[in-house]
Amino acid sequence: MWEKIFEKIKEYETIVIARHIGVDPDAMASQIALKESIEATFPEKKVYAVGQGSCKFTYLGHLERLENVDYQKTLLMVLDTPDKRRVDIDNIDLYHYKIKIDHHPFVEEFCDIEVIEENSSSTCQLITEFLIATPLVKTKAMMEKLLQGIVSDTNRFMFQNSKSSTFHLVGKMIEDFDLDLPSLYAPLYLRPLKEVRLQGYIEQNMTVTENKVAYIYITEEIINQFKTDASAAGNMINNFNYIEEVLVWITISEDKKNDIFKISMRSRGPIINKVAEKYHGGGHALASGARVKTKEEANQLLEELESVCKEFLKEEVVE
Ligand code: AMP
């Protein structure tokens, strides 16, 4: 399959690389590293990594705006996105040929070639494997970004998606490209004091239910009080992993500009993406997100998670 994708890249003079809305380090690092590799291999090609960026991830590089695309002559590569509605790009149906490379559970087919490896830790792992399997140029700078994406999506190798293949690959990346872990971790985990203080607020004020669901509403007032932004609470969701009394945890952040509540959800056991899918969301079995319009809907989602946790705890007792 990698060979076939390499041949398609050779065929097109213009290549656009897109990913899901709500950029994260895995999505963005895979885009930028792939773009740099194709450009280094084929300097005559025009390659664009596109989508709404975030000032948080400028250490990974920059995204571009598309101008005057001749769609009928352009290859679109969609990374890290299982469904068409979440691809951060306009006119997706106009592209001449489309390739998807993703590690999310399958949602729908919308590309001509689809590589979906649900067992892979990250899209960055898949892109690294792709680069290694083909004559595409590989440099230290590309491998640094790809490793940052892997580290981010595995939460420093703490999630279940860190398989032996992940460790073998990362070992090879470190050895072959002389990568320095502490300097790669710093931009991923360094954060302003105001965010640490918001984290403290969440820890102090989260509600924990009978069936080990922890949740908190982050209103615009709280965001303003801590002088952060609407995405801050969602971004720190991975920091609440190991609380004994908590199995599933959720931040519900008010986004007044778009008139929605953004929900980030994580779990240490119960499968949560099936619940997320019912609320304009989705994601992985233990790491998902959703969007709701009203507090009532958010409360309904919480009730469903409560039932899922209750069942999980019952089964644990039986075992
Ligand atoms: P987050 O909590 O934003 O880090 O997202 C965790 C996982 O859920 C990622 O794989 C996202 O791509 C996915 N996800 C987040 N929000 C949504 C959504 N509204 N629809 C589908 N998938 C989502």
Side-chain angles (χ1 to χ4, degrees), residues 20-22 24 80 82-83 85-86 103-104 153 234-235 237-238 263-266 276 279-284 287-291:
H20 59 76
I21 51 173
D24 62 34
D80 202 38
D83 45 352
R85 77 185 165 97
R86 294 195 81 233
H103 76 124
H104 288 88
D153 246 37
N235 288 338
I237 188 89
N238 290 336
I263 303 184
S264 276
M265 310 159 44
R266 297 292 184 270
Y279 295 87
H280 314 285
H284 303 281
S288 320
R291 303 275 178 273

